[in-house]
Amino acid sequence: MQASASFAMSASATPRLLNALRCELVLQRNGAPGAMALQLQNTGSEAITLLRRNTPLEPMRANFLRVSRNKHRLQYVGPVVKRAAPTLEEYVVIAPGSSMLHEFDASQGYDFSKPGRYQVSWNGELLDAALGSAAPNPLDPNAARILCAPITFER
Amino acid sequence: MKQFARTLALTSLALAVSAAFAGPRQTDRTESETGRFSPSELRASVSSTKSLHVAGDRVKVTVEFSNSSLAPAHVPVWLLDSSDPDRSFLRVTRDGEELAYMGALVKRKAAHLQETAEIQPGQSISVTYDIDRAYDLSEGGSYQINFVGSDKHVIDGHSFDSQPAGLAVEADPARAIMIEQSEFQHKLGTSSYAASCTTSQRSAIDTALSSAAAYASNAVNYLAQTPSSARTRYVTWFGTVTTSRWNTVASNFANIKNTFDTQNMSFDCGCTEAGTFAYVYPTQPYKVYLCGAFWSAANTGTDSRAGTLVHETSHFNVVAGTNDYAYGQTAAKKLATTNPKRAIQNADSHEYFAENTPFQN
Ligand SMILES: [Zn+2]
């Protein structure tokens, strides 16, 4: 399959970087203590299909954020879930030139109840991602990574 | 139906059992139209002789086993012997919360290899069991006790549960001390179950736990050998061999084995999601939430129940603090080739290494 060929894993230590995807965490000012949003913009010329699993695009079921309060890293207090191979419904397609904003609640995994200066970053890891229009193959995932700007705020 | 080579006469149990013979004893062996013995239909009912137990009173319940079918029923001899310390077949709850079982854990032969006692059609047998050495009743209050039968308890018929019976106990801190001093007391290496786990689920978990402990033992023994790049099983799941990474994996499995062998794990069966095997909160050892895919999995092999327990146990921060960096065998193998540092922190990599299916050296 053409799309995944461009993602073939080399023997390098980290999965391929998806440069076309611009990523940003956005604070939801009037929300709950952990209310934020993930903004993704496809700046490339091909569609990007990515698996939502273990990313901010689904309810928190893995430790994928790095949260610190006053520069001390907070431990992840949410669940970690063993699931069967994903179905196609777990993927999202971002068309070239388009963007999406997805709200999520980081307090499902980290304790934002104490006042202080918080920094939240997402490791940008995607368990499976593909370029182009071909359907993904959940049984042969191609991990990828995007760079995502962190946010800092005072509570 | 099976025939039992070693059926013990009930009279030899006279000291341990107060047998109440209700109804006529049927002496003819009943066969169904198909020519085979019909499965026995045992029932258990629990009652308490005393409704209020004040401080210092022993707390006992009486279980009446009655055979309402037309065929003799067989139960293991130890079940009818109140001096046997096993009380795992009695479930105690207080305000809907199940109490942890602290009594003896007795490892037994398969039910069909055990000495059995026969309960005749129409016959019932009552046995009185103390429960205050197996459950901590020191807080006092009102407790519900029921009999939870599994295939460990009934040999040739269906498993059976009783309705709960209630009894009241006066608060008495001394009861906790009595448990601590009990020769059969154990705190470690046992399981407790949420009310959401059915009797058959509890027994499936027990089976999976034994297999998971065997997986962990096997992994510990394997990793005690000299690190070598010729060991394909290691290389497949954890990548290029270094002594340091090999030792990390060895220490992870030592902790996993130790957890199965010595910790009180608890299980919740309330999650029914079909695409999910299980989940844990890594900060909350040793509770495992089992979901739909767990029950449809085989006991051993790839993505099995036993393997899932290895996976979940590895997640606890106090055990190995693993993460889910890749799911499934294909992704886990890729992770081993591309990022061994991550593979040794990945839960599925530990699971697939433990399951070792298909076998590798
Ligand atoms: Zn997991």
Side-chain angles (χ1 to χ4, degrees):
Chain A
M1 155 173 139
Q2 279 172 307
S4 63
S6 61
F7 275 92
M9 301 277 285
S10 65
S12 69
T14 47
R16 177 172 177 135
L17 197 60
L18 268 185
N19 283 316
L21 216 47
R22 185 170 295 159
C23 176
E24 208 182 326
L25 287 176
V26 187
L27 191 63
Q28 305 290 91
R29 289 275 165 204
N30 300 319
M36 47 197 79
L38 180 72
Q39 184 157 37
L40 291 174
Q41 189 188 359
N42 184 353
T43 62
S45 54
E46 283 183 286
I48 298 173
T49 302
L50 54 92
L51 179 58
R52 290 183 283 128
R53 188 178 282 197
N54 296 2
T55 77
L57 299 175
E58 67 159 20
M60 202 154 292
R61 289 168 147 209
N63 179 14
F64 49 76
L65 295 180
R66 201 181 176 98
V67 180
S68 62
R69 182 177 57 237
N70 302 330
K71 300 202 167 154
H72 293 287
R73 188 166 183 188
L74 300 188
Q75 74 170 344
Y76 175 66
V77 293
V80 287
V81 184
K82 176 174 164 67
R83 286 177 275 184
T87 58
L88 292 179
E89 284 80 68
E90 285 184 60
Y91 288 81
V92 62
V93 183
I94 308 174
S98 76
S99 64
M100 65 178 290
L101 183 77
H102 180 84
E103 292 177 20
F104 69 99
D105 179 12
S107 67
Q108 290 172 349
Y110 309 86
D111 179 13
F112 289 88
S113 63
K114 296 198 180 79
R117 186 161 184 78
Y118 284 88
Q119 185 173 57
V120 179
S121 57
W122 175 39
N123 61 19
E125 287 177 20
L126 302 170
L127 288 170
D128 191 14
L131 277 181
S133 51
N137 178 4
L139 293 176
D140 188 14
N142 282 291
R145 201 165 54 92
I146 51 180
L147 292 180
C148 199
I151 45 169
T152 305
F153 57 91
E154 202 82 37
R155 282 273 186 233
Chain B
M1 282 287 138
K2 297 179 191 120
Q3 280 291 10
F4 298 93
R6 291 190 296 159
T7 298
L8 217 79
L10 272 173
T11 44
S12 70
L13 285 165
L15 287 176
V17 177
S18 61
F21 297 100
R25 262 187 98 157
Q26 229 165 301
T27 43
D28 52 319
R29 303 285 276 180
T30 313
E31 290 185 51
S32 69
E33 298 84 341
T34 59
R36 291 184 298 182
F37 293 114
S38 48
S40 60
E41 200 59 58
L42 264 188
R43 291 180 200 289
S45 78
V46 181
S47 59
S48 167
T49 38
K50 236 185 222 178
S51 53
L52 175 68
H53 298 76
V54 296
D57 281 354
R58 294 300 307 266
V59 183
K60 299 178 182 191
V61 293
T62 298
V63 180
E64 185 184 63
F65 299 97
S66 49
N67 181 0
S68 55
S69 70
L70 297 173
H74 297 89
V75 296
V77 163
W78 63 261
L79 181 63
L80 303 182
D81 177 0
S82 60
S83 67
D84 184 289
D86 195 338
R87 296 290 179 269
S88 58
F89 48 86
L90 294 172
R91 178 171 169 268
V92 179
T93 61
R94 180 178 179 270
D95 302 327
E97 287 278 314
E98 188 166 349
L99 269 64
Y101 176 66
M102 302 177 87
L105 279 181
V106 185
K107 200 166 174 64
R108 304 190 190 272
K109 285 182 281 190
H112 69 278
L113 296 173
Q114 291 181 21
E115 281 187 318
T116 57
E118 197 167 76
I119 303 177
Q120 296 302 323
Q123 186 188 12
S124 37
I125 296 175
S126 294
V127 188
T128 298
Y129 305 97
D130 55 70
I131 57 168
D132 51 4
R133 297 294 184 271
Y135 291 97
D136 181 357
L137 309 175
S138 60
E139 265 192 81
S142 78
Y143 295 89
Q144 300 280 315
I145 295 96
N146 72 312
F147 179 89
V148 181
S150 71
D151 48 14
K152 276 191 281 194
H153 306 115
V154 59
I155 312 286
D156 50 357
H158 307 291
S159 57
F160 53 105
D161 292 357
S162 78
Q163 294 294 315
L167 55 82
V169 179
E170 185 186 13
D172 177 10
R175 292 193 185 281
I177 297 161
M178 300 300 275
I179 288 189
E180 269 167 40
Q181 292 170 346
S182 159
E183 61 174 309
F184 299 116
Q185 183 260 350
H186 80 273
K187 283 180 176 156
L188 304 175
T190 183
S191 313
S192 52
Y193 308 96
S196 54
C197 301
T198 64
T199 306
S200 68
Q201 285 176 325
R202 288 168 202 225
S203 120
I205 295 167
D206 282 349
T207 306
L209 262 178
S210 314
S211 305
Y215 272 161
S217 272
N218 176 283
V220 165
N221 293 340
Y222 178 102
L223 293 158
Q225 298 167 56
T226 313
S228 156
S229 51
R231 305 307 300 272
T232 48
R233 174 180 174 187
Y234 177 95
V235 174
T236 301
W237 303 115
F238 298 115
T240 312
V241 173
T242 68
T243 308
S244 145
R245 285 200 295 259
W246 182 288
N247 290 343
T248 301
V249 177
S251 140
N252 287 351
F253 273 106
N255 291 349
I256 293 167
K257 174 179 167 7
N258 187 54
T259 303
F260 291 137
D261 291 349
T262 66
Q263 297 300 324
N264 184 351
M265 300 192 74
S266 68
F267 296 93
D268 185 297
C269 309
C271 163
T272 53
E273 276 177 52
T276 303
F277 286 88
Y279 64 95
V280 300
Y281 292 83
T283 49
Q284 296 171 28
Y286 298 93
K287 179 155 196 176
V288 182
Y289 298 81
L290 302 169
C291 306
F294 180 86
W295 302 112
S296 37
N299 183 57
T300 53
T302 300
D303 287 316
S304 59
R305 293 175 184 173
T308 299
L309 295 181
V310 170
H311 174 121
E312 297 305 327
T313 303
S314 78
H315 275 314
F316 294 120
N317 293 335
V318 295
V319 177
T322 60
N323 248 307
D324 290 318
Y325 290 120
Y327 65 84
Q329 288 210 337
T330 310
K333 281 181 191 168
K334 272 186 197 169
L335 191 66
T337 6
T338 58
N339 198 341
K341 218 176 118 191
R342 276 237 158 147
I344 66 166
Q345 298 172 56
N346 185 45
D348 258 355
S349 308
H350 288 75
E351 174 176 344
Y352 298 141
F353 175 84
E355 290 166 345
N356 196 25
T357 310
F359 178 86
Q360 293 184 93
N361 182 39

